Amino acid sequence: MPPNPLANWEKVGDSFYRKIAVYDAIFEDDIELENYIVVGAPYGGAIALYRDESKTFRLRDGQGSRSTIDIYSCSGRKINRINWEQATIRGLGWSDKEELLVVSEDGTVRRYFGLDGEFTSFSLGNGAEEYGVRACQFWSSGLVALLSNNQLIAVSKYDEPRPRLLAPCPEGEVSSWALIPPAHTLSRSVEVLLAVDKTVFLIDSTEAEDKILQDGPFKHISVSPTGRFVALFTAEGRLWVVSNDFQNKFSEYDSKSRVPPNTVNWCGEDAVILGWEDEIHLVGPNGVASKYYYDGRVHVIPEFDGVRLITNDTCEFVHKVAAVTEEIFRLGSSSPASVLLDSVEQLEKKSPKADENIQRIRSSLPSAVDTCIKAAGHEFDAYWQKRLLKAASFGKSVLELYNSDEFVEMTEKLRVLKASRDYKIGLPLSYEQYLRLTPEGLIERLISRHEYLLAIRISEYLQIPADKIYVHWASQKVKVSTVDDEAVCKLIVQRLDGKPGISFEVIAQAAYDEGRSHLATQLLNHEPRAGKQVPLLLNMEEDELALDKAIESGDDDLVNYVLLHLKSKLPLASFFRMINTRPMASALVETAARGDDIELLKDLFYQDDRPIDGANVLLSEALRDTDLTRRTEKLQLASRLLSDSKEPTVVLNQKLVSEASQLLKAQDALDKDLADHSEFLGLSVNETVYRLIRGGYGKRAHKIQNEFKMPEKTFWWLRLRALVAKRDWGELEEIAKLKKSPIGWEPFYNEILGAGNTKLASGFVPKCSHLPPAERIEMWVKCGMIVKAGEEAQKTKDLNTLELLRTKASGPAATEIERMINQQRQRK
Amino acid sequence: MAPLSGSDADYFRDKARRDLLTLLEGARGKKNLVISQELAGPVGLFVKFSVLQEYGVDRVFLLENANIDSSQRNVVFLVRGEKARHVRIVAEQIKRLQNNGNVEHEFSIFFAPRRTLMSNSVLEEAGIIGDVNIAELPLYFMPLEQDILSLELDESFEDLYLHKDPGCIFHSAKALMGVQQRHGYFPRIVGKGDNARRLADLLLRMRKELDAEDSSGLTDPSARGLLPSASVENLIIIDRDVDFGTPLLTQLTYEGLIDEYVGIKNNQADVDTSIVGPAPTPQSESSKAPQQVKQGLKRKIQLDSSDQLFSQLRDANFAIVGDILNKVARRLENEYESRHTAKTTGELREFVNRLPTYQLEHQSLRTHTNLAEEIMRLTRSETFRKTLEVQQNNAAGADSTYQHETIEELIARDVPLKTVLRLLCLESCMSGGLRPRDLESFKRQVLQAYGHQHLLTFWALEKMELLQPRSSATTMLLPTSGAQAGSKTNYGYLRKNLRLVIEEVSEKDPNDISYVYSGFAPLSVRLVQCVLQKSYMVSLIKGGTPAASNTPNTTSPGWLGFEDVVKSARGATFSIVQKGDDKAVRARQTLSGNSATKTVYVFFLGGITFTEIAALRFIAAQEAPRRKIIICTTSIISGDRMMEAAIEKGSFVKAE
């Protein structure tokens, strides 16, 4: 006999609520739930039980005085027991990923993941240790702790926890508090409602805003799942539902109880659950309520779409009946979907009414089919799921065109839900919860319950990557198996062969953590990603292998990381030996050392016998130093470093380095003799000579030239440029009297002309005897000496040029050119 | 795979912009942005300052200026995660703000392109890792133009060849993986050079790792198990050290010359206002990116395809730039004069509508005429002439010792050190090193002329194998460069066998890429031609008139046909086929057909010059529409920048 779908419906105001018994016989009778704090993970997750220390209890055999946190599935299967030897627990909660968070009085937070008892921990800081944590509230990915000095500390992610103080809040007695998760606040970071004395404060990271209420103290505050409403429970036993800005009051309910309830939770978005020891009030809109009574203590675990009620005997799920379900099953419903469901029954009876029904709702049949499919999802009972799907199937068979995707997907989802709701698994997911949890999330939960087979089946069924399942399985295998390393490795490799995406690195890490480093190495060889192997290899002290793998990955950052690690760990000599044969490593060490560790660089070059590199380091140091003595010392040091070798390059470098210090000495002397401040020090040889000549110290310039064996040509160029810059035409004229110049005379002409002295420049034109006449003519012209140009042209009997020149000439020059032209013509 | 809309350039630009803005949004409220110099320019390529403002950025500071103040509670740093030095500066500044401010700061650091273990340890050492929010900005390729994707790694040349730090190879591989993830695998990777080989190996390895990471081939085949791309033909990787010679020559295209004399950074050039005149009234569009605006002295000129005139000029040999400018000037004049002939009101209205375009064009014409004149002035100077002469003799393979006197004269005349070193390096590259005696004498002269600190410069150049003694006896000493045979590019052989020198090229109406250097074809681009334009190369080498380039290319892939010639260039030669699932490939081939334009990615590892870009565009124009060439590079480089990598900046002169 199928259960009546309406059996557990309860009308609260205008809408229906449904209480479904999901599991029975949860806890053994000797667990006295009234003495425990019970918190459940969202989405039908695990339940943590912790003995409430404020209550007396009966000591039982073998339990001792050690306190523990017990983790159960919703169906009462014990998953794990965590021994707790730390300070008093002040906060117990779960994250969305089913990580158990335990906050102790001294501000230590432990995050247990994977239900296996493994944990990481961090401290809240910010004065938590001093004042002590009073209570904690959790949301899907973070927590807020209330200290006894009314300070609030927020942690918004657990991977890299950054405990942050919220704005300081006012003095006073905190009677209750609640947080608004970041997703529902305007500031996009967590905010807290704090009931202090008669009013409520809204506290975010920067300020505490007084909402100015007068009806406190409020014994409970609870924020609705979407953050739009707030439920307040007053000392007079009244429940108020107000908008989140505290401006509008939507409903009020008088519980008629002077004892405030233990818990006030939202059941979906429209109703509030008040929970006393053994009594539950379900308060809907407009203050209408429905009451449930129990024999023993009942615990309330909130979900976003309802609540779970846990007693020793049952695990129940209370939620609002979905609109589609109501549409079909409500007494007297004549909606198309309801008619469609009825037709299936008629069809089974082979009654013609089936067809009649269909014809009647023909026009709205597609939506009726949709409704039936959706309603099937919300149904917990397999019988009614099947009935509804059958109705949908019948309905769509009549339709000519209907997209069956949703139907198929729903059957898939229902199968998965059925499997996970099984009491052996104990994940009582509602349809909505499954959608939010996602199939991947479900698989993670199965993995942490070691339900590998089901996880793999589901991942194959839904075509989801299964690598994590295999990896977790293998890691577990490594931990528990007692056979020898070879056999385990073989087993794992065989089993995982051909499975894509397997991270052997994780498995190897598990093996290493178990102290089986040989096995770890073996497993690591199967990891295709070189980079992934590195951190573990480092942990395993396989330094050389780690370095090689890092280099293999080509990731310079990873290599640097390994090098940094090795440098701090190994004696310098062996460190150098290790990088010596690896060019990439030594290049990176060199580069890094150049930035921050010059001494290491020197050691490296010394060890490698690279005198030039070593000397160059000293040279750079000398360049950075401003003190002359220290500079010279460095240069001498460099020179000494180079003097050991007979290698020509080294010898040359040695000479040049000595020359550098010699130059500094000479310049120092010049500065002392000629200038009152340092004018020459640090200049190059050429610049020194140039400045000396420009300053009129020709002799000293010569001396420098000789001392540093400056080529004659260079000296001449410098002299020319310096004299031109000095506008020392007299000296230049003197030079012009010389017979020969190693750089020729053309530069003199050019430079002087460039300086604007055409007269002097012209003096050099005749000296450029090696140039072709045409160029010399051009040179004359540039000096404005057309006649001279003409004479040049006349020598070569170049009539054309002469005629060209005539156009440029004016005044007496023109007549002169004219004369030359005539002369030329006559000769012809 | 669904056909992709939009070009790579647009895609990467949008992605970078989106990524950055999302991160900025994550730091709530108003904030000050501190950005490192080397990222400030590139960021300007894809997002405007006004947009940053919309996302709450109040003021922008340069990291190097260290002047961030406490005017905002939120402070966001944007730096490269690979540079420990920068991370250290960030740490210092954060600590400074923490200590002296009475403001409770909220710090975020965005690491581009990734958060590194290195940066973690630096922040840890500084003790602030717990106080900052850290995020990654996966910034890889930045589009300079529709056909140019650059990583804009200014220091890549130095890192790669001087410090032998392969970081930028990894960076490049990541960037190319991004391209592959968009289009599918490069069906073939062709390359030349040892670093190129390393990059190709990394690409193969990353693909393997990606395959391993792809958890299952079962679901969503479009996202997983990438296939060889149907729209991409090749990836050609050219290692810069295969052809050091080309960039050492003075670039002779318009854009190249601007880069040589003014410098172009992130598509912008800082030009003296005495040359181009002061900036026009600031338009809202010109408020580009976070840049320091120095008033009065320099003016930023945007040099990209948004300037139509510049698009026409940029790749032309400078010799004909004057002609083009004249023509445009005349056309503008005519069009402007047309207002007098406008008779009907309709015509008049049309004229008025086009007036802003005229003004814009006019503005651009004035700018470029001034710029061209300035460059003309420089190219007429005696030192330029002499420098160019030495370069061209070297490029043509004339006996280099005849050039020595000229070089010595240039040293004595105190031309910029870069110019001298470029000539020396050019000779060393082109003729396999300098005679030890010559090298020694040049070393002495350079040191005497420019200061003894350049002992370090020479050492760096030797390390980079840019300037070496000819005999291999001394190179044995260098531990980092085992100089075996074939480890140098033999320009002598290649000059002949790849016809690098073409005397009779027309600059005005070019028929060969050698127009870009007035008669010298960049080896690097010739190598690309060996892969893409085989029949052209064959006819070119055989002599006679080069065949019309649009003869259908034989489909022989990779280096086929040129293996022997290419061996004479330095480093590894390779051609790798990336195979996918055969069935899937065939299925897709039947689906998509082969008619579509195939894209060729040419990646210059270690940098590319504007001149080489011009040459590649010349090829691209010939290959269109069968092929599309996308030029990728680590950065834009020039001979001067190569020298700057080596030149020691310190000096013995006391800093005042």
Side-chain angles (χ1 to χ4, degrees), chain A residues 157 160 162 164 186-188 205-206 460 462-467 500-502 528-532 552-558 560-561 564 584 587-588 590-591 594-596 610 612-613 616-617 619-620 622-623 626 631 635 647-650 652-653 655-657 659-660 663-664 678 681-687 708-711 713-714 717-718 721 750-751, chain B residues 28 73 81-82 88 106 114-119 121 125 129-134 159 163-171 202 205-206 208-219 224 382 386 405 408-409 411-414 439-440 443-453 455-456 459 462-463 473-474 477 479-480 648 650-656:
Chain A
K157 55 182 173 186
E160 285 184 16
R162 297 232 165 78
R164 266 208 338 240
L186 276 177
S187 64
R188 292 285 168 228
S205 52
T206 50
E460 279 170 1
L462 298 178
Q463 304 188 341
I464 300 171
D467 55 310
I502 300 295
R529 291 155 293 184
K532 293 267 179 194
E552 201 183 310
S553 78
D555 183 345
D556 51 316
D557 179 42
L558 201 59
N560 269 324
Y561 176 70
L564 203 67
M584 176 172 173
L588 288 175
E590 263 187 66
T591 312
R594 248 174 239 288
D596 58 0
R610 288 156 67 180
I612 298 188
D613 279 313
N616 283 346
V617 175
L619 185 53
S620 332
L623 280 170
T626 48
R631 248 185 196 179
L635 288 176
E647 190 65 45
T649 327
V650 184
L652 175 64
N653 267 36
K655 272 192 224 151
L656 293 170
V657 171
E659 193 179 275
L663 177 63
L664 285 176
S678 96
L681 193 70
L683 296 179
S684 73
V685 179
N686 286 14
E687 283 166 324
F708 292 94
K709 299 189 192 66
M710 178 184 286
K713 278 189 193 175
T714 313
W717 264 109
L718 289 172
R721 281 174 38 227
N750 281 331
E751 295 285 326
Chain B
R28 291 257 136 199
R73 209 175 76 85
E82 269 113 344
R88 249 175 239 131
E106 184 81 13
R114 59 182 178 142
R115 176 182 186 176
T116 58
L117 299 162
M118 204 65 211
S119 57
S121 63
E125 247 169 63
I129 196 159
D131 308 336
V132 292
N133 299 306
I134 298 172
D159 285 345
H163 304 315
K164 319 278 175 196
D165 175 352
C168 67
I169 304 182
F170 189 77
H171 195 113
L202 267 183
R205 160 174 284 282
M206 282 182 179
K208 215 169 76 194
E209 294 188 355
L210 193 71
D211 281 347
E213 222 145 285
D214 272 342
S215 302
S216 156
L218 288 168
T219 91
R224 298 168 187 282
E382 198 194 348
K386 292 206 163 168
E405 205 167 315
E408 279 167 11
E409 183 190 319
I411 296 174
R413 296 178 70 172
D414 202 27
L439 183 59
E440 186 177 329
K443 257 191 205 174
R444 281 178 178 283
Q445 288 181 48
V446 168
L447 256 46
Q448 293 202 341
Y450 300 95
H452 281 76
Q453 68 270 26
L455 207 50
L456 297 173
W459 185 241
E462 266 179 59
K463 250 186 156 168
T474 47
L477 193 77
T480 44
E648 169 62 37
S651 105
F652 283 110
V653 179
K654 254 184 220 169
E656 296 295 325

Side-chain angles (χ1 to χ4, degrees), chain A residues 43 304-305 319 322 377-378 417 421 429-437:
Chain A
Y43 311 135
F304 74 93
D305 60 344
H319 72 136
H378 291 289
L417 281 173
R421 280 173 190 163
L429 286 167
S430 73
Y431 177 72
E432 296 280 338
Q433 286 166 16
Y434 173 65
L435 290 188
R436 284 226 193 165
L437 181 62

Side-chain angles (χ1 to χ4, degrees), chain A residues 505-719:
Chain A
E505 168 252 335
V506 176
I507 309 172
Q509 179 74 51
Y512 178 70
D513 290 345
E514 283 300 301
R516 304 175 78 164
S517 45
H518 177 63
L519 177 59
T521 326
Q522 279 184 313
L523 286 166
L524 213 46
N525 282 334
H526 293 274
E527 170 63 55
R529 291 155 293 184
K532 293 267 179 194
Q533 308 178 7
V534 173
L536 181 56
L537 284 170
L538 277 185
N539 274 342
M540 290 164 60
E541 314 228 338
E542 296 277 354
D543 299 336
E544 259 190 280
L545 201 55
L547 184 55
D548 283 336
K549 290 287 179 189
I551 291 172
E552 201 183 310
S553 78
D555 183 345
D556 51 316
D557 179 42
L558 201 59
V559 181
N560 269 324
Y561 176 70
V562 176
L563 288 172
L564 203 67
H565 183 92
L566 296 184
K567 193 173 86 181
S568 59
K569 181 183 145 188
L570 297 175
L572 211 53
S574 28
F575 176 62
F576 286 150
R577 221 171 303 126
M578 196 175 283
I579 61 170
N580 211 327
T581 48
R582 297 170 174 85
M584 176 172 173
S586 28
L588 288 175
V589 169
E590 263 187 66
T591 312
R594 248 174 239 288
D596 58 0
D597 196 351
I598 296 289
E599 293 309 311
L600 180 83
L601 207 56
K602 285 186 200 163
D603 288 341
L604 174 68
F605 292 146
Y606 181 74
Q607 193 117 2
D608 276 9
D609 194 19
R610 288 156 67 180
I612 298 188
D613 279 313
N616 283 346
V617 175
L618 288 164
L619 185 53
S620 332
E621 279 188 324
L623 280 170
R624 272 196 297 271
D625 216 323
T626 48
D627 180 73
L628 182 62
T629 359
R630 277 205 301 272
R631 248 185 196 179
T632 324
E633 269 168 30
K634 295 263 185 209
L635 288 176
Q636 274 159 2
L637 222 60
S639 158
R640 212 172 309 143
L641 209 57
L642 293 166
S643 59
D644 291 341
S645 171
K646 293 279 165 285
E647 190 65 45
T649 327
V650 184
V651 173
L652 175 64
N653 267 36
Q654 195 264 332
K655 272 192 224 151
L656 293 170
V657 171
S658 323
E659 193 179 275
S661 55
Q662 189 191 342
L663 177 63
L664 285 176
K665 217 161 103 195
Q667 287 168 332
D668 191 38
L670 287 174
D671 276 347
K672 282 188 182 128
D673 290 358
L674 307 177
D676 43 357
H677 61 287
S678 96
E679 190 188 334
F680 293 98
L681 193 70
L683 296 179
S684 73
V685 179
N686 286 14
E687 283 166 324
T688 312
V689 169
Y690 178 85
R691 279 207 198 178
L692 282 172
I693 296 175
R694 212 181 54 182
Y697 304 106
K699 276 206 179 119
R700 284 178 191 263
H702 264 295
K703 204 174 143 237
I704 295 285
Q705 184 209 352
N706 290 332
E707 194 178 343
F708 292 94
K709 299 189 192 66
M710 178 184 286
E712 197 61 19
K713 278 189 193 175
T714 313
F715 185 76
W716 273 73
W717 264 109
L718 289 172
R719 187 158 61 157

Side-chain angles (χ1 to χ4, degrees), chain A residues 276-435:
Chain A
W276 282 268
E277 289 291 316
D278 52 1
E279 187 177 332
I280 296 286
H281 291 190
L282 176 64
V283 186
N286 304 321
V288 198
S290 160
K291 295 171 188 172
Y292 304 98
Y293 300 96
Y294 290 85
D295 296 336
R297 171 68 203 257
V298 54
H299 284 281
V300 181
I301 296 171
E303 297 274 5
F304 74 93
D305 60 344
V307 294
R308 272 183 286 155
L309 301 176
I310 306 276
T311 64
N312 271 50
D313 300 329
T314 59
C315 168
E316 294 168 321
F317 181 57
V318 181
H319 72 136
K320 189 181 176 184
V321 172
V324 282
T325 314
E326 198 183 321
E327 186 184 332
I328 294 174
F329 292 114
R330 189 162 37 97
L331 279 177
S333 169
S334 60
S335 72
S338 167
V339 175
L340 183 58
L341 185 65
D342 181 53
S343 333
V344 178
E345 207 166 311
Q346 303 300 335
L347 191 70
E348 276 167 3
K349 288 186 198 153
K350 302 215 162 71
S351 153
K353 270 190 86 177
D355 187 52
E356 255 172 60
N357 275 351
I358 289 288
Q359 295 310 328
R360 191 146 58 88
I361 58 168
R362 179 95 212 186
S363 58
S364 44
L365 194 53
S367 75
V369 174
D370 287 346
T371 309
C372 281
I373 293 173
K374 281 191 192 120
H378 291 289
E379 213 46 55
F380 275 70
D381 186 83
Y383 173 83
W384 287 106
Q385 288 171 357
K386 282 187 200 159
R387 292 301 286 181
L388 287 163
L389 286 177
K390 207 172 215 172
S393 170
F394 176 51
K396 78 192 181 67
S397 72
V398 180
L399 288 168
E400 269 173 39
L401 275 174
Y402 185 80
N403 183 348
S404 302
D405 286 356
E406 275 186 34
F407 180 83
V408 175
E409 273 169 30
M410 183 56 81
T411 57
E412 283 175 1
K413 283 173 191 153
L414 285 177
R415 282 192 72 165
V416 172
L417 281 173
K418 182 172 165 51
S420 56
R421 280 173 190 163
D422 188 290
Y423 74 95
K424 287 180 200 141
I425 307 295
L427 284 170
L429 286 167
S430 73
Y431 177 72
E432 296 280 338
Q433 286 166 16
Y434 173 65
L435 290 188

